[in-house]
Amino acid sequence: MDKDLSASTPGLAVPQPTGHGNGTAPAAASAAAPVEIRIRDLCLHYGSNQALHNIDMDIERGKVTAYIGPSGCGKSTLIRCLNRLNDLVDGVRISGSITIGGTEILDIGLDVTELRKKVGMVFQKPNPFPKTIYENIAYGPRILGISQKSRLDEIVEKSLKDAALWEEAKDRLHDNALDLSGGQHQRLCIARTIAVEPEVVLMDEPCSALDPIATAKIEELIHQLKREYTIVIVTHNMQQAARVSDYTAFMYLGKLVEFGPTDKLFTTPEKQETEDYITGRFG
């Protein structure tokens, strides 16, 4: 792979054949949106089973990138590489390179705690703490050493506003967070994630347990959040990917089949496998 052009021009990724059988090239970043996450030749094994095969991808800053594909295709495994959650699984071996904001996150000496402050995660099933709404949001900032009440008050209010939950929660800040509805739980978890001011927000099927009304609120929230954060979302819902993302990656059997602007991938895909999947012929 010729790295000279992309190395000499910060924020520019030159599309090239990967040479790894992915059938796609890393998506090119526009001049206005530098690369936030750069993935090169990423492989992951669970014991003797290879789950990811030579993934190459550039993710632009301030954009929403969606991973789609059938169950077991590797999309959740890939997103969990971005904050090293796969480290917690026995027998995992990872090779290749992932840089976030120019930092190589697969470096064995990296402080993973620091990485996870920078790269927040929202999970498929909402997991609010059994504490008050206020304490759910203040938890992360307290861990980071913020103790002044006025500052914590500011963070809680801003985070809940950014997560479109302030109007529903402002008179209930000291109620148990578990008393909220399912959709409110997920927005609370998003507020808790952004309270520590990450640079990247990962969302692993954040709407799969929600009803259509709650899902619509989360999707609208994603559009608002990308003004401040780079967002990567895994979704099993192709219509959702089409609605919320700027770029979409289609994965199959642990390989990146195609990656590019969402409107192009859904209307004029380059690969037959992509077209077969989005038209419902398989998966």
Side-chain angles (χ1 to χ4, degrees):
M1 184 186 301
D2 181 0
K3 298 182 181 177
D4 293 343
L5 287 174
S6 58
S8 62
T9 309
L12 179 64
V14 181
Q16 311 149 36
T18 64
H20 301 306
N22 285 347
T24 188
S30 67
V35 173
E36 181 75 45
I37 303 171
R38 179 166 283 139
I39 303 171
R40 291 291 181 271
D41 203 21
L42 181 68
C43 297
L44 182 143
H45 291 77
Y46 294 117
S48 61
N49 175 46
Q50 186 167 359
L52 295 177
H53 298 258
N54 307 99
I55 305 295
D56 285 350
M57 177 185 297
D58 290 335
I59 294 175
E60 289 187 4
R61 183 175 303 156
K63 302 293 184 181
V64 179
T65 297
Y67 295 165
I68 65 170
S71 296
C73 70
K75 54 189 185 292
S76 288
T77 297
L78 177 56
I79 200 174
R80 287 167 178 259
C81 287
L82 303 181
N83 67 349
R84 299 267 301 265
L85 273 184
N86 290 315
D87 290 12
L88 304 175
V89 181
D90 291 338
V92 163
R93 290 182 290 114
I94 303 174
S95 62
S97 171
I98 304 174
T99 60
I100 298 181
T103 298
E104 175 56 66
I105 71 163
L106 298 183
D107 187 331
I108 194 170
L110 182 79
D111 185 333
V112 177
T113 301
E114 289 296 320
L115 170 66
R116 290 174 187 155
K117 293 175 190 173
K118 184 176 175 180
V119 184
M121 184 93 175
V122 177
F123 295 93
Q124 179 176 358
K125 183 177 179 181
N127 58 344
F129 301 146
K131 299 174 177 286
T132 66
I133 294 170
Y134 184 100
E135 288 301 327
N136 264 267
I137 308 303
Y139 180 83
R142 287 190 201 277
I143 293 293
L144 296 181
I146 299 173
S147 58
Q148 186 178 10
K149 187 177 185 304
S150 60
R151 178 67 182 126
L152 289 172
D153 289 348
E154 291 173 6
I155 292 170
V156 169
E157 181 172 346
K158 181 181 186 304
S159 300
L160 288 170
K161 283 181 175 177
D162 287 351
L165 190 57
W166 175 250
E167 290 303 318
E168 296 161 64
K170 64 183 180 181
D171 298 322
R172 306 173 59 188
L173 294 179
H174 300 291
D175 291 355
N176 193 315
L178 299 180
D179 293 337
L180 296 172
S181 69
Q184 290 172 327
H185 280 167
Q186 194 63 295
R187 281 182 284 149
L188 177 69
C189 291
I190 292 171
R192 190 177 66 198
T193 297
I194 62 179
V196 297
E197 299 183 337
E199 296 173 17
V200 177
V201 177
L202 310 177
M203 298 184 173
D204 192 356
E205 300 199 23
C207 301
S208 64
L210 304 181
D211 62 42
I213 293 174
T215 294
K217 289 183 178 180
I218 296 293
E219 290 181 0
E220 177 58 31
L221 178 55
I222 289 170
H223 283 293
Q224 296 170 20
L225 289 175
K226 75 174 184 178
R227 299 171 190 167
E228 296 187 54
Y229 308 98
T230 300
I231 299 174
V232 184
I233 179 171
V234 166
T235 178
H236 66 282
N237 185 323
M238 285 186 286
Q239 290 76 24
Q240 181 173 77
R243 288 192 297 264
V244 305
S245 69
D246 301 291
Y247 292 90
T248 296
F250 168 56
M251 298 186 65
Y252 185 60
L253 298 177
K255 296 179 180 180
L256 178 59
V257 176
E258 188 167 347
F259 177 44
T262 294
D263 55 355
K264 181 178 184 301
L265 187 138
F266 277 97
T267 57
T268 55
E270 295 182 0
K271 302 297 179 183
Q272 186 63 47
E273 301 99 312
T274 310
E275 182 173 349
D276 288 347
Y277 182 71
I278 64 179
T279 57
R281 295 190 184 120
F282 82 91

